[in-house]
Amino acid sequence: MEVNRVRFFAALGANVTIFDNSPAQLERDRQVALREGLSIQTVEGDMRDLSIFPDASFDLVFHPVSNVFCPEVRPVWREAFRVLRHGGLLLSGFANPIYYMFGTHADEQASLKIKYAIPYSDLKDMDPTELEVCIEEGIPSNMVTA
């Protein structure tokens, strides 16, 4: 998996701190940064608790889609607001909930039939083959390509 978040901001000259709860993801970020000759800082932790960072310590918080993996997003937004400098920017992505209802290949279905209940928080309803792909490839269930 190519880690574009490292390349994009660091290549533009930004001081980049990547905060993630996955040691494996952070290692991939470090590998890409090393390969591309980019300088980054990586920190492991829970997005609902950014207490390692002082108030108003970032000009930009980029929060790509990871909010869908959090049971309660209000602490995430409170912490993002706290660590942003006055006038700072919060960029956040959201996954299309269609994926959670119909699966990632909804565009290939002749007629849409709901496969999963919303919120999609329990893997027991997931197709066993798709679940196995997620486990083997180490990808979130909403990113299945099989």
Side-chain angles (χ1 to χ4, degrees), residues 116 120-128 131:
Y116 310 110
Y120 183 68
S121 61
D122 194 345
L123 297 178
K124 70 178 172 39
D125 296 327
M126 190 171 185
D127 176 89
L131 178 58

Side-chain angles (χ1 to χ4, degrees), residues 33-52:
L34 182 63
R35 182 189 74 212
E36 302 292 328
L38 302 171
S39 177
I40 63 165
Q41 176 185 5
T42 59
V43 179
E44 184 180 341
D46 185 314
M47 67 182 128
R48 296 168 291 181
D49 177 11
L50 303 178
S51 60
I52 191 169

Side-chain angles (χ1 to χ4, degrees), residues 65 68 94-109 112-118 120 126 130 140-145:
V65 188
V68 300
F94 294 88
N96 186 339
I98 296 295
Y99 289 154
Y100 298 101
M101 293 174 60
F102 303 107
T104 57
H105 300 289
D107 59 327
E108 298 171 6
Q109 297 175 22
L112 294 177
K113 293 184 181 181
I114 294 177
K115 293 172 67 173
Y116 310 110
I118 298 267
Y120 183 68
M126 190 171 185
E130 290 182 13
S141 59
N142 67 318
M143 301 297 287
V144 174
T145 57

